[in-house]
Amino acid sequence: MEGETVSSGGGVGNGSQIEGNMVQTFQKNFVQVQTILDQNRVLINEINQNQESKMPHNLTRNVGLIRELNNNIRRVVDLYAHLSTSFTKSMEPSSEGDSSSSAAAAKPGHKRNRPPP
């Protein structure tokens, strides 16, 4: 499935390329998130071992490890925020369409009217 895109419009051309780029961006971000989460697992295990040892040097080392863990969590939050923003932008109607419906869709509490099937 790698490299494949699913096109909701069924068309070929620029839309497929945009969807392909979007899928690549999502995959890249998810790989980054998973890598950071794997690093966090290692950090947490080391922090726990240091805590159990109760050796002053290990407890002091935990300060730096916890800072690194907090920074990693911030990075994950930023990556998810970027993913959310990218996903939201990808779901917006193109600028060629009716701008009034996209403006109404962007406002909370407003429903978009859909044409009957």
Side-chain angles (χ1 to χ4, degrees):
M1 294 261 316
E2 189 171 318
E4 295 180 21
T5 62
V6 178
S7 176
S8 59
V12 178
N14 195 27
S16 296
Q17 182 180 2
I18 291 170
E19 288 179 17
N21 291 341
M22 192 175 20
V23 168
Q24 287 178 344
T25 299
F26 288 154
Q27 288 174 337
K28 178 183 170 190
N29 281 325
F30 282 124
V31 167
Q32 287 178 320
V33 165
Q34 188 59 53
T35 300
I36 294 169
L37 292 176
D38 291 341
Q39 291 172 352
N40 286 356
R41 185 179 305 112
V42 171
L43 286 170
I44 290 168
N45 286 335
E46 186 175 348
I47 290 167
N48 286 335
Q49 290 172 358
N50 288 345
Q51 191 69 27
E52 289 174 5
S53 78
K54 297 186 183 191
M55 295 177 62
H57 172 72
N58 289 345
L59 295 174
T60 302
R61 178 164 164 67
N62 273 359
V63 173
L65 294 174
I66 291 169
R67 282 191 183 125
E68 185 177 349
L69 183 65
N70 284 336
N71 287 334
N72 285 352
I73 292 169
R74 279 189 204 98
R75 287 175 49 206
V76 168
V77 169
D78 289 343
L79 286 167
Y80 275 127
H82 176 70
L83 276 172
S84 176
T85 301
S86 295
F87 182 74
T88 301
K89 286 181 181 178
S90 73
M91 299 318 273
E92 290 176 352
S94 69
S95 60
E96 297 171 5
D98 180 11
S99 62
S100 64
S101 64
S102 62
K107 294 180 184 176
H110 288 86
K111 292 186 178 181
R112 228 169 81 184
N113 293 329
R114 297 184 186 189

